[in-house]
Amino acid sequence: MTNQWIFNAPSAEEQTQTLRLAEQMNIDSVLARLLVQRGVDSADKANKFFWPKLNHLHDPFLMKDMDKAVDRIERALGNREKILVYGDYDVDGVTAVALVYKILKKYTSDIGYYIPDRNAEGYGITQEGIDYAHNNGYHLIIALDCGIKAVEQVELAKSYGIDFIICDHHTTDGQLPNAVAVLDAKRFDDTYPYKELSGCGVGFKLMQGFLQHNMLAFADLKDCLDLVVVSIASDIVPITGENRVLAYHGLRQLNNNPSIGMRSIISVCGLSEHFITMNDIVFKIGPRINASGRLHQGNEVVQLLISNNNSTADELSRNINEYNDERRELDEQTTREAITMLEQQQDFRLRKTIVVYNDTWSKGIVAIVASRLAEEYYRPTIVLTRGANGLLTGSARSVQGFDLYAAIEHCRNYLEDFGGHLYAIGLSLKESNLEAFVERFEQYVDNHITDEQLTPTIEIDAEVTFSQFNAKFLRILKQFAPFGPGNTNPVFCTRNVKDSGGTKIVGKKLSHLRVELCDSEGNYAMNGIAFHMSEFHQKVKDQVPVDLCYTLEENTHPLRHADSKNSDHNMQLMVKAIRYNE
């Protein structure tokens, strides 16, 4: 599918701010413009952006109900009540459970944790989970990354004499559960300054409030920042505000002093001798943690994340690595089956949505398959299977710019339950409602989605020449990290580049292109990698000029430059798109 290139042209005001900031900081105007695009329009803001400090975090007691939550935890500790830390089975949920458990474990032995079985129980606060708490004498449940819609479940727990503290970050649904405290910056009556925390991030704020109120050491919580950054990267929340501070220091913790469990995961990912980035979390660490909850038991990965024993951690890490291999095979097979199913639908090319259902598919991989299909066909996508309760259950994924939550909410009369974010939703419904749901969903999307939203785009931050890239430029560009939503790796465009002699096809299937290109003046050459773009090889070798769209990344191998004065530049192009410029 052809990408549409969109150049982010600065406004007159942004141009003025860019020139002023470039002069104030003595930096390239391209870098100054990138900062202005991120709302960083002064040297003071730039210092906070480049060097986030933990004291930049907001006071946790600015979050509504934080005082009630901390008070209830203190009473539970004082009365030696049993506390159950309860969380979702995905990365965000299990890291949140591990963080809260590790902190509170230092102050009580009357604590346990619970992760619902994805296949037998499903998502959120479950009957089985409440029964487990009741049968084992728990009087307080701290729910993490779930619970914002658990109105009936919280009432059931209250009838058993069990209190709830809910820590969630999903969109609320009007009525809040009657819990002791509901911590969710997205609740309609909360004025907390930052709305985009991960579920683990909300758990972090709860523990920050607890430690702060009792004047206890913050160092223990700082040690848990490796868990927080893994949740932030894996749950794809914006890397802005508090999330940027937490991710920045979380990466330092992950690279310099990870917990025993996290160090073991890093080892099975093959990252022990590697500086770990957000991409490494998204594509290597996160999927392994997820695989346990998707296909087996999330309790196992919590055990790994809280482990203080190297041999135990290594054994559990090997297990989740095997689960990930199993998950990969399963999702590839299911994706092939879904594509075949779609291609056999007569009206498939005419519809603006994708909805596929097969009752034999694993619940643990439908979210991955939905993401793959949405990326392949670039349409709002829902993948469904049959749950243990007889309902159809599945995941929905959106395309850039389209509010999937609003679309699903419009169809709520046909649903038993749903919840999630702007671009990712979990849902369940009766099979008898499937046909009507599909038609209403298609109708809503057809009426609200634009042609532009159905076309994959590449937003280009700046048009540059290779001559602008020097050691200072790269050093400053590196300080823009960590990258993610809200602070994406800057995308550059360079026009009229040609092969400088080293471009070749690479990869086991000869599908990738290793490029070595020089600019239009022939003075600067850079190399890079263009994945799945081998079809451009012959014309590039024939010296056909091309326009490149790419990001810049550090390279562990020295780059060969046409101008030897620039041979110390240590960066490569990660090519996103190529266009002929004949």
Side-chain angles (χ1 to χ4, degrees):
M1 187 175 290
T2 303
N3 294 305
Q4 180 183 3
W5 293 19
I6 299 176
F7 290 82
N8 292 323
S11 65
E13 182 182 5
E14 287 176 331
Q15 288 177 320
T16 301
Q17 291 172 335
T18 295
L19 292 174
R20 183 172 63 244
L21 188 61
E23 183 177 354
Q24 285 177 351
M25 300 191 66
N26 188 28
I27 60 175
D28 189 289
S29 61
V30 170
L31 294 168
R33 180 180 163 191
L34 293 175
L35 287 170
V36 169
Q37 287 173 347
R38 287 156 174 77
V40 180
D41 56 6
S42 69
D44 180 60
K45 289 181 180 179
N47 285 332
K48 289 183 178 179
F49 179 80
F50 287 136
W51 296 285
K53 293 180 171 55
L54 289 171
N55 61 16
H56 294 161
L57 295 173
H58 300 303
D59 182 347
F61 288 94
L62 293 175
M63 188 175 290
K64 193 169 182 64
D65 281 2
M66 182 63 73
D67 54 342
K68 298 176 183 177
V70 170
D71 177 70
R72 184 64 184 89
I73 290 172
E74 291 171 352
R75 284 195 287 116
L77 295 176
N79 297 332
R80 296 192 60 89
E81 297 177 67
K82 292 186 70 175
I83 302 172
L84 184 66
V85 188
Y86 186 114
D88 188 21
Y89 37 66
D90 68 0
V91 177
D92 196 15
V94 296
T95 52
V97 168
L99 183 149
V100 172
Y101 179 89
K102 288 175 75 170
I103 296 299
L104 292 183
K105 183 68 174 176
K106 296 178 181 294
Y107 305 100
T108 179
S109 59
D110 296 314
I111 188 168
Y113 57 85
Y114 188 93
I115 305 293
D117 183 289
R118 183 175 195 134
N119 294 308
E121 300 175 57
Y123 168 80
I125 311 298
T126 66
Q127 171 80 48
E128 293 87 345
I130 294 172
D131 288 344
Y132 173 86
H134 177 54
N135 295 333
N136 288 276
Y138 289 98
H139 290 107
L140 174 62
I141 297 176
I142 302 175
L144 296 147
D145 192 34
C146 60
I148 197 63
K149 293 185 177 182
V151 175
E152 295 179 3
Q153 294 90 331
V154 169
E155 289 301 325
L156 174 63
K158 285 175 71 70
S159 72
Y160 291 154
I162 301 171
D163 285 339
F164 257 96
I165 294 172
I166 291 173
C167 303
D168 208 341
H169 69 128
H170 295 97
T171 304
T172 62
D173 199 22
Q175 182 182 2
L176 296 175
N178 187 23
V180 169
V182 178
L183 306 181
D184 188 337
K186 291 178 181 174
R187 57 184 283 182
F188 57 90
D189 56 349
D190 199 328
T191 58
Y192 190 71
Y194 189 68
K195 303 293 185 182
E196 303 298 337
L197 291 166
S198 66
C200 186
V202 180
F204 177 93
K205 298 303 294 188
L206 174 60
M207 292 298 95
Q208 182 189 5
F210 167 71
L211 295 175
Q212 179 178 308
H213 190 256
N214 290 279
M215 294 180 287
L216 297 170
F218 182 75
D220 291 338
L221 189 54
K222 185 178 178 182
D223 289 344
C224 292
L225 283 169
D226 55 351
L227 294 168
V228 181
V229 71
V230 169
S231 83
I232 288 172
S234 300
D235 221 51
I236 320 180
V237 292
I239 312 299
T240 57
E242 279 195 303
N243 281 344
R244 178 170 175 82
V245 177
L246 293 168
Y248 177 89
H249 288 277
L251 282 177
R252 294 176 69 176
Q253 185 73 24
L254 196 63
N255 281 284
N256 299 328
N257 190 29
S259 66
I260 289 174
M262 200 63 78
R263 183 182 292 114
S264 184
I265 297 172
I266 290 169
S267 177
V268 298
C269 291
L271 297 172
S272 296
E273 303 301 321
H274 178 80
F275 181 84
I276 300 166
T277 65
M278 298 295 272
N279 273 349
D280 293 321
I281 297 173
V282 171
F283 295 108
K284 295 183 179 181
I285 295 174
R288 284 168 171 80
I289 294 175
N290 247 338
S292 183
R294 289 185 185 279
L295 300 180
H296 295 274
Q297 287 287 338
N299 280 327
E300 185 174 12
V301 76
V302 175
Q303 183 184 355
L304 168 59
L305 294 174
I306 65 175
S307 176
N308 291 315
N309 183 283
N310 285 302
S311 60
T312 299
D314 289 345
E315 180 182 353
L316 292 170
S317 290
R318 286 191 294 270
N319 289 347
I320 69 167
N321 198 46
E322 291 175 3
Y323 301 156
N324 190 55
D325 292 340
E326 179 186 348
R327 186 272 310 164
R328 186 183 295 112
E329 293 177 7
L330 194 57
D331 80 58
E332 288 176 356
Q333 175 187 335
T334 304
T335 301
R336 288 194 298 268
E337 292 175 1
I339 290 174
T340 299
M341 185 182 300
L342 286 172
E343 299 292 349
Q344 291 174 349
Q345 295 178 4
Q346 292 183 351
D347 63 344
F348 167 59
R349 299 292 174 183
L350 302 177
R351 300 178 74 90
K352 294 182 179 178
T353 63
I354 291 172
V355 182
V356 287
Y357 161 61
N358 185 317
D359 61 8
T360 66
W361 290 339
S362 167
K363 287 175 61 179
I365 50 84
V366 291
I368 301 171
V369 176
S371 295
R372 291 185 186 277
L373 295 179
E375 182 179 353
E376 175 70 21
Y377 297 104
Y378 216 73
R379 306 180 206 177
T381 299
I382 301 175
V383 178
L384 297 164
T385 187
R386 188 176 298 279
N389 55 6
L391 295 175
L392 307 191
T393 183
S395 292
R397 294 295 183 269
S398 192
V399 295
Q400 185 65 33
F402 183 73
D403 187 345
L404 182 64
Y405 192 91
I408 298 293
E409 188 173 41
H410 180 74
C411 308
R412 65 185 306 155
N413 289 347
Y414 296 111
L415 300 175
E416 298 301 303
D417 194 17
F418 73 98
H421 309 286
L422 186 68
Y423 295 127
I425 306 287
L427 68 160
S428 62
L429 69 159
K430 294 177 181 177
E431 186 171 3
S432 58
N433 287 333
L434 177 60
E435 184 176 346
F437 167 77
V438 170
E439 289 310 309
R440 178 172 288 191
F441 180 61
E442 168 68 22
Q443 183 183 49
Y444 181 93
V445 174
D446 187 42
N447 290 336
H448 291 83
I449 202 166
T450 65
D451 290 339
E452 290 76 16
Q453 289 170 336
L454 289 168
T455 304
T457 60
I458 298 177
E459 294 193 12
I460 297 169
D461 295 289
E463 188 173 333
V464 296
T465 62
F466 289 166
S467 61
Q468 290 177 263
F469 299 146
N470 54 37
K472 179 180 178 181
F473 190 102
L474 178 61
R475 185 181 73 251
I476 297 174
L477 186 65
K478 282 173 59 179
Q479 291 177 273
F480 278 71
F483 296 119
N487 182 43
T488 54
N489 197 347
V491 178
F492 302 107
C493 174
T494 301
R495 299 186 186 274
N496 296 316
V497 300
K498 293 183 179 181
D499 177 44
S500 61
T503 298
K504 60 183 178 180
I505 295 175
V506 297
K508 290 182 179 180
K509 297 182 180 180
L510 300 178
S511 59
H512 311 314
L513 203 60
R514 170 64 68 180
V515 296
E516 188 172 288
L517 304 164
C518 60
D519 62 11
S520 57
E521 298 175 355
N523 295 324
Y524 292 85
M526 296 194 67
N527 68 10
I529 185 71
F531 291 112
H532 306 293
M533 298 186 198
S534 59
E535 71 270 18
F536 293 98
H537 176 254
Q538 192 56 54
K539 284 202 172 184
V540 172
K541 293 300 291 183
D542 290 342
Q543 294 292 302
V544 174
V546 296
D547 295 343
L548 280 188
C549 175
Y550 58 90
T551 58
L552 278 176
E553 292 191 9
E554 263 194 303
N555 190 2
T556 55
H557 304 287
L559 298 177
R560 182 164 67 84
H561 289 260
D563 182 346
S564 61
K565 292 183 296 183
N566 298 290
S567 60
D568 61 340
H569 293 183
N570 190 29
M571 48 192 161
Q572 67 174 342
L573 312 173
M574 297 296 292
V575 181
K576 299 174 73 70
I578 299 174
R579 292 198 308 205
Y580 295 123
N581 190 11
E582 298 178 272

